[in-house]
Amino acid sequence: MTDERELDDGLAAFDQLGREMAETNRLLRAVRSDQAARNQQEHDLSAEMRAALKQATGASQKALQAAKTEIRSSLLWTGLTAFLIVLVAFGGGYFFGQRDGWETGHADGYQKARNQEAAASWANTPAGQRAYGLDRQGDLDLLTMCRGNGWTTERRKGGIVCFPNADAKGNVTGWYLP
């Protein structure tokens, strides 16, 4: 039950990470689009500024230079802010995704090791050795399904009972146990 809850929590965190990454990508595209538009505006403005600078006085040149500096400063802060948002989003996603993935992987690996240890313990018992011997001879499937010469099944008390049945000569056949 707790493994399912942990898996559900991990999947929920993974879904949240996916939504955050999609939102981050959307914001990044918007910032890039905005930056491209501003670059185009700056390019267009730059051409107009050159024409205006040729005709303007020294005072108008100072005003245009101040406006240009302000635009660049805004672009710089916008770019830095977008970069920090992306960096925080990816860093947080990586941290939470790695932590949840490690916990899930650790739990799965521990359970598999316990299952293999239990199987190895049983395989070293006398019953496990006999089952292995029957399987090597190809008789284990016949034995478990009660199939083979001289063996029949009968339904009793809601279950199936397997028992030997003598043939016409009175011989009962079976399996050689290892």
Side-chain angles (χ1 to χ4, degrees):
M1 184 70 174
T2 58
D3 287 344
E4 290 178 17
R5 179 178 281 154
E6 289 176 0
L7 181 60
D8 288 344
D9 290 346
L11 290 175
F14 191 72
D15 281 348
Q16 180 64 29
L17 173 62
R19 287 191 295 275
E20 288 175 1
M21 289 180 70
E23 182 62 22
T24 300
N25 285 336
R26 186 190 68 76
L27 288 172
L28 187 57
R29 285 192 302 273
V31 167
R32 285 182 182 160
S33 174
D34 186 45
Q35 188 174 7
R38 286 185 185 199
N39 286 344
Q40 182 61 40
Q41 287 174 350
E42 186 178 334
H43 181 269
D44 295 343
L45 184 61
S46 197
E48 291 175 14
M49 278 193 231
R50 281 192 298 270
L53 284 174
K54 289 179 184 178
Q55 299 172 7
T57 63
S60 65
Q61 288 178 357
K62 290 179 183 179
L64 287 175
Q65 189 61 35
K68 196 174 186 181
T69 303
E70 183 65 28
I71 290 172
R72 285 187 179 147
S73 176
S74 295
L75 284 174
L76 177 65
W77 283 111
T78 302
L80 279 173
T81 302
F83 178 74
L84 287 174
I85 289 170
V86 169
L87 187 64
V88 167
F90 279 122
Y94 177 77
F95 173 74
F96 289 117
Q98 181 183 20
R99 185 184 64 181
D100 288 343
W102 185 85
E103 288 171 359
T104 301
H106 181 70
D108 288 346
Y110 180 72
Q111 186 61 42
K112 286 179 184 176
R114 284 186 58 199
N115 291 345
Q116 289 178 355
E117 184 179 320
S121 294
W122 179 81
N124 289 323
T125 65
Q129 300 280 328
R130 284 192 300 273
Y132 179 69
L134 283 170
D135 189 47
R136 285 184 52 208
Q137 293 175 1
D139 293 335
L140 185 60
D141 289 335
L142 293 175
L143 180 63
T144 59
M145 293 184 288
C146 194
R147 301 220 193 264
N149 294 333
W151 291 85
T152 60
T153 59
E154 188 175 300
R155 183 172 289 281
R156 291 188 184 174
K157 295 183 183 178
I160 297 177
V161 178
C162 178
F163 58 92
N165 189 16
D167 63 9
K169 294 181 182 177
N171 297 325
V172 175
T173 58
W175 299 271
Y176 291 103
L177 296 176

